[in-house]
Amino acid sequence: ENGEYHNLAQPTEIDITKNDVIYLDLQQIPENSDNLGIMMQLLFMKIYQNAKSTSDKVAITIDEAHKILGDENITGGLEELFRHSRHFDVSINLISQTPEEFYINQTAETIAKQCTIKRFHRVDSLNNDLVENKLELNEREVNFVENAEMGEGDKDYSEALLVIQDEDRSIPLRIEATKDEQMVIGYDPTESVRE
C-alpha cells in the first residue's frame, strides 16, 4: 500500500472488452525501465485472459517492437501469448524498423519463429547471415525488399513483400492509403486553424 506500484493492486477502470480499438501509449515509460517490464507483463496477461474468454477475434499490434523484444523479462509473457494465440483467434502483429531486431535474443527468435506470415517493407541492406540462417529469403526476394518503392513524393503507394512460410511463397504487395489515411498523411495543421 502506498508503494511505487500501489495503483496496480486495485481494480482498473479500463474495460478492454467493450471497445473495438484500444490504444495503449507506453512512451512515457523509459526503455530499459523495470516499470516497462511490469506494465507489459500485466498488459499481456490481461489481454490473454480476455481473449480466452471472448468469442470475438482479437488483433494486437505492437509498434516499435524492438522496445520489448530486447527485454527477456517482457518477452516471456509475449512468447506465451504467441504460442497460444491461434487457439483463441488472436492475431498479433509486431512492427519494427529492421529484421535484426526480431532475432536479438533467444526469446525474440522463438517469437519470430511463431510468425509464419512476415511483411517486409524496403530495407536498404539486409544482413546476409540473417537472410541465409533466419529469414530464408532467396536472392529475388532480397532484391525486391532492398529495392521496393517507398510512398514518397508523387507516389501514392509503397511496395512490400509478403512471405508466407507455411506455403513457402512470397507475394509482392502494393500498399495504398485509404481516403482516411490520406487525410491524416496530408494533414496540415496550419490550414485547419480557425480564427
Side-chain angles (χ1 to χ4, degrees):
E1 191 170 333
N2 298 323
E4 183 177 2
Y5 301 111
H6 174 71
N7 61 316
L8 301 178
Q10 52 194 326
T12 180
E13 295 174 9
I14 301 169
D15 183 359
I16 65 172
T17 62
K18 294 182 179 168
N19 296 290
D20 290 336
V21 176
I22 306 288
Y23 174 77
L24 300 167
D25 185 353
L26 301 175
Q27 68 180 340
Q28 292 180 0
I29 301 173
E31 267 184 76
N32 304 321
S33 163
D34 291 339
N35 293 341
L36 182 61
I38 290 168
M39 296 303 287
M40 294 307 294
Q41 287 285 2
L42 288 169
L43 177 63
F44 293 143
M45 203 167 49
K46 181 71 173 165
I47 290 170
Y48 182 58
Q49 292 305 318
N50 282 327
K52 288 186 343 184
S53 64
T54 183
S55 60
D56 294 334
K57 293 182 179 183
V58 176
I60 302 167
T61 300
I62 302 171
D63 193 5
E64 302 292 346
H66 68 276
K67 290 184 176 186
I68 61 171
L69 289 173
D71 187 337
E72 293 194 72
N73 293 323
I74 299 171
T75 53
L78 188 58
E79 181 182 354
E80 182 178 343
L81 186 59
F82 264 89
R83 288 186 184 276
H84 300 286
S85 63
R86 67 183 176 277
H87 302 297
F88 304 106
D89 281 331
V90 175
S91 167
I92 307 170
N93 301 287
L94 299 173
I95 303 170
S96 202
Q97 299 295 320
T98 61
E100 290 85 0
E101 294 164 350
F102 293 96
Y103 299 90
I104 197 163
N105 57 47
Q106 188 59 48
T107 309
E109 188 170 333
T110 300
I111 290 170
K113 286 178 184 176
Q114 298 286 324
C115 300
T116 58
I117 299 174
K118 297 178 174 81
R119 186 172 67 200
F120 295 92
H121 291 261
R122 182 188 176 116
V123 175
D124 289 332
S125 178
L126 288 167
N127 177 300
N128 288 335
D129 281 345
L130 186 67
V131 167
E132 293 173 15
N133 300 319
K134 307 291 183 193
L135 301 177
E136 300 174 6
L137 298 175
N138 62 40
E139 187 177 332
R140 180 184 56 81
E141 293 166 332
V142 169
N143 187 48
F144 183 89
V145 171
E146 291 180 343
N147 295 290
E149 295 283 341
M150 298 185 341
E152 297 177 323
D154 293 338
K155 289 193 181 99
D156 60 351
Y157 67 91
S158 292
E159 292 178 330
L161 184 69
L162 186 70
V163 176
I164 307 169
Q165 289 179 322
D166 289 349
E167 297 179 14
D168 193 28
R169 65 186 223 161
S170 59
I171 303 166
L173 301 176
R174 184 173 174 161
I175 301 169
E176 297 179 10
T178 65
K179 288 183 180 180
D180 289 339
E181 290 169 333
Q182 289 173 6
M183 287 174 42
V184 172
I185 293 166
Y187 174 71
D188 182 354
T190 60
E191 293 179 4
S192 62
V193 174
R194 294 183 185 174
E195 299 201 21

